[in-house]
Structures are given as structure tokens and as C-alpha cells.
Amino acid sequence: IVKPIFVNRYTLLSSLPFYIVLARSLESLSKYKKEILVPSILALFIAILLIQQNIDTKDNWSGISDFIKSDIQGDENIVILAHYEITPFSYYFIPKCFREINLTSCANKEYIYPLKSVSDLEKMRKVNNTWLIISRIEFEPDYREILKLIYDDFEIKTKKRFILNEDSRILDTF
């Protein structure tokens, strides 16, 4: 069974004006420039589509959601280090929040905290156990500082490894 992770609401709405502007700008170019630019743009768009469909760029959020649901003890936080990963995670873990306009606010009410900076750690409620999901953290500017603070300030009780794709990501309970 194949399930979509999520559909970005504004992609279709914004793509039409983008293509109209692109077509208008190409229309004003000379024939020689068009012969070079049109195949180049098409190659770029095809490359972008291939990258988006590449399995290496997609984590198994359905699997990680099921894994946490089966193991969570109720009074525990879930922290996602890579704040933008809240969207695919919420699609499977908290579908009611996925439909909300302010996804982060709704997720916080469910004790799920996407971390963008060190100050986001202060928003978490104090509980005995917290799940830490680490995914694509290299794109987060403060990730080293956040990880250092987490590992310095929290006692790690157990580590569970959940393979999302070929490389492993660590799921910590602390």
C-alpha cells in the first residue's frame, strides 16, 4: 500500500503564476537563446522531480509513527530535531494537527515539540521521559548546540535505533 506523506497546500496555487512568468520571459528572448534555455530548464525541472521522488530523501514516517505509538507510555514528550519534519511526522502521528493552520501550536498541545533553536527546549513540559527524533539535523543551524544541551542536561535511559532508510537515525528516550 502506498500512502502519500503530505501534499503541500500552496504548490499548485503558486506554480501556475511561476510558469506563466517563465513563459512570458522566454517569449521575449531570441530564437538562439530559447534553443539553449528551454532544454536547460526542462533538464533542471526533471532533475528536481527525480530528486523529490528519490527514496533517499524520504524517511519512513509512517513506520516511525507506528514504532513510537507502540512504545510510548502516555506522559512523554516527543522532540523532533529538524523542525520542518513535524509536517510528515504529524501526518501519521497526529492527523488532526496536520489539518490545522498552526501545526506547531497544535503539536505542542499534544506534547510534540519541533526544535528550531535552543530556546524551543524551554517550551517543553517537564516529564520523566522524552523521545528525541533526529532526522536531517545537518540543515538546522543550531543543531550542535541543541544536541549538546540535550545530552548534557538529560540522562539518557535507553536508546532505540529505528532504521528509516539505508542510514540509521537514532531515537532516544531520555
Side-chain angles (χ1 to χ4, degrees):
I1 299 174
V2 178
K3 297 179 188 175
I5 291 180
F6 67 95
V7 177
N8 196 338
R9 299 177 198 193
Y10 306 110
T11 303
L12 290 176
L13 194 61
S14 64
S15 63
L16 184 60
F18 170 74
Y19 289 119
I20 290 171
V21 169
L22 183 64
R24 290 281 187 181
S25 61
L26 287 173
E27 191 176 53
S28 65
L29 295 175
S30 69
K31 182 179 177 182
Y32 174 73
K33 289 180 181 177
K34 282 182 197 175
E35 289 174 353
I36 293 174
L37 277 177
V38 169
S40 301
I41 291 171
L42 283 174
L44 177 68
F45 286 165
I46 289 170
I48 290 170
L49 284 173
L50 290 174
I51 289 170
Q52 286 180 338
Q53 298 305 316
N54 186 347
I55 194 69
D56 294 335
T57 61
K58 292 180 173 50
D59 291 329
N60 183 1
W61 289 106
S62 173
I64 192 72
S65 177
D66 292 343
F67 180 74
I68 292 175
K69 281 179 183 177
S70 69
D71 238 9
I72 200 162
Q73 299 300 317
D75 193 29
E76 298 176 340
N77 290 336
I78 299 173
V79 174
I80 302 174
L81 187 51
H83 72 282
Y84 51 84
E85 297 286 17
I86 186 65
T87 306
F89 179 72
S90 69
Y91 180 85
Y92 294 106
F93 196 81
I94 44 169
K96 67 178 181 179
C97 287
F98 179 77
R99 293 178 190 87
E100 292 291 324
I101 292 174
N102 190 342
L103 175 60
T104 302
S105 175
C106 183
N108 288 350
K109 290 175 188 169
E110 298 292 324
Y111 310 115
I112 300 170
Y113 304 94
L115 298 184
K116 210 184 255 191
S117 66
V118 175
S119 64
D120 290 339
L121 282 170
E122 296 166 5
K123 296 176 189 172
M124 290 178 12
R125 68 184 178 141
K126 304 298 182 220
V127 294
N128 288 333
N129 294 318
T130 298
W131 291 79
L132 174 63
I133 301 174
I134 302 172
S135 175
R136 305 190 198 292
I137 59 170
E138 57 275 1
F139 300 117
E140 291 294 323
D142 295 339
Y143 83 91
R144 284 191 175 100
E145 188 179 346
I146 292 170
L147 278 178
K148 183 180 179 335
L149 189 66
I150 286 172
Y151 285 112
D152 288 348
D153 291 354
F154 293 92
E155 172 192 348
I156 296 177
K157 294 178 181 177
T158 60
K159 279 189 182 185
K160 297 179 182 181
R161 190 171 299 271
F162 183 84
I163 307 298
L164 295 174
N165 280 322
E166 295 301 315
D167 58 344
S168 62
R169 304 281 199 266
I170 296 175
L171 200 68
D172 287 346
T173 304
F174 54 89

